[in-house]
């Protein structure tokens, strides 16, 4: 019986190949995204349950999890691309495309809903001209839902560029967005 050498087929799952092979291939002629992904995988792939920490680290470094990184992650962790893609699309925190310059997160938790959060969310969508998980009409602001900012006693709340804002009314949101536009000008 003759032994066959395994070959790398991009359409197949990473489970049939060793994880080191993916890292070696990624380091041979990497794009910046692949090089960053390979560095992160080298650091995190041997810890228990590494997929979520790897995805968080890739998104933190690159701003998103680009499609070109999915194959490298899948192969290094002995997963299929479908498994990695399934996790990315299951959790709303993960993005496949870079966010806009600014991030507006509107709390959708119960306390904020009870204090006018739905009206605030409707106003944010109208003011930005987009729905959740999208960019404003001018491309400057990403609108995302978030499920509790810890400001329940001061709801409704939003987070704008990483800064929590409490007791936000539609009028206050308009002032915050106008401040962004002034800062960008």
């Amino acid at each position: 019986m003759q032994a066959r050498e395994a070959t790398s087929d991009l359409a197949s799952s990473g489970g049939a190949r060793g994880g080191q092979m993916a890292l070696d291939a990624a380091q041979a002629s990497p794009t910046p995204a692949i090089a960053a992904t390979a560095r992160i995988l080298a650091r995190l792939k041997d810890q228990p349950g590494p997929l979520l920490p790897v995805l968080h680290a890739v998104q933190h470094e690159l701003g998103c999890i680009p499609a070109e990184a999915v194959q490298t992650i899948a192969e290094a962790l002995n997963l299929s691309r479908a498994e990695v893609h399934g996790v990315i699309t299951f959790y709303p925190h993960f993005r496949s495309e870079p966010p806009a310059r600014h991030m507006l997160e509107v709390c959708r938790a119960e306390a904020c809903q009870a204090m006018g959060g739905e009206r605030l969310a409707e106003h944010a969508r109208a003011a930005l001209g987009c729905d959740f998980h999208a960019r404003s009409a001018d491309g400057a602001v990403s609108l995302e839902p978030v499920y509790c900012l810890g400001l329940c006693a001061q709801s409704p709340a939003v987070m704008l560029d990483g800064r929590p804002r409490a007791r936000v009314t539609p009028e206050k949101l308009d002032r915050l967005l106008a401040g962004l536009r002034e800062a960008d000008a």
Side-chain angles (χ1 to χ4, degrees), residues 30-55:
T31 65
I34 297 298
T37 302
R39 277 193 316 276
I40 290 164
L41 283 162
R43 189 179 78 234
L44 299 175
K45 74 178 182 91
D46 293 326
Q47 75 178 37
L51 181 57
L52 286 174
V54 165
L55 293 175

Side-chain angles (χ1 to χ4, degrees), residues 103-124 132 143-170 172-173 176:
M103 175 75 69
L104 175 63
E105 297 172 276
V106 178
C107 183
R108 310 290 287 146
E110 291 81 5
C112 284
Q113 292 297 321
M115 297 301 292
E118 185 57 40
R119 185 171 72 104
L120 182 63
E122 288 174 18
H123 184 78
F132 287 112
L143 180 61
E144 297 292 334
V146 65
Y147 296 91
C148 196
L149 293 169
L151 297 170
C152 302
Q154 301 172 39
S155 55
V158 301
M159 178 133 21
L160 183 59
D161 291 338
R163 286 190 61 203
R165 308 296 181 123
R167 295 188 178 102
V168 179
T169 62
K172 185 174 181 179
L173 181 61
L176 291 169

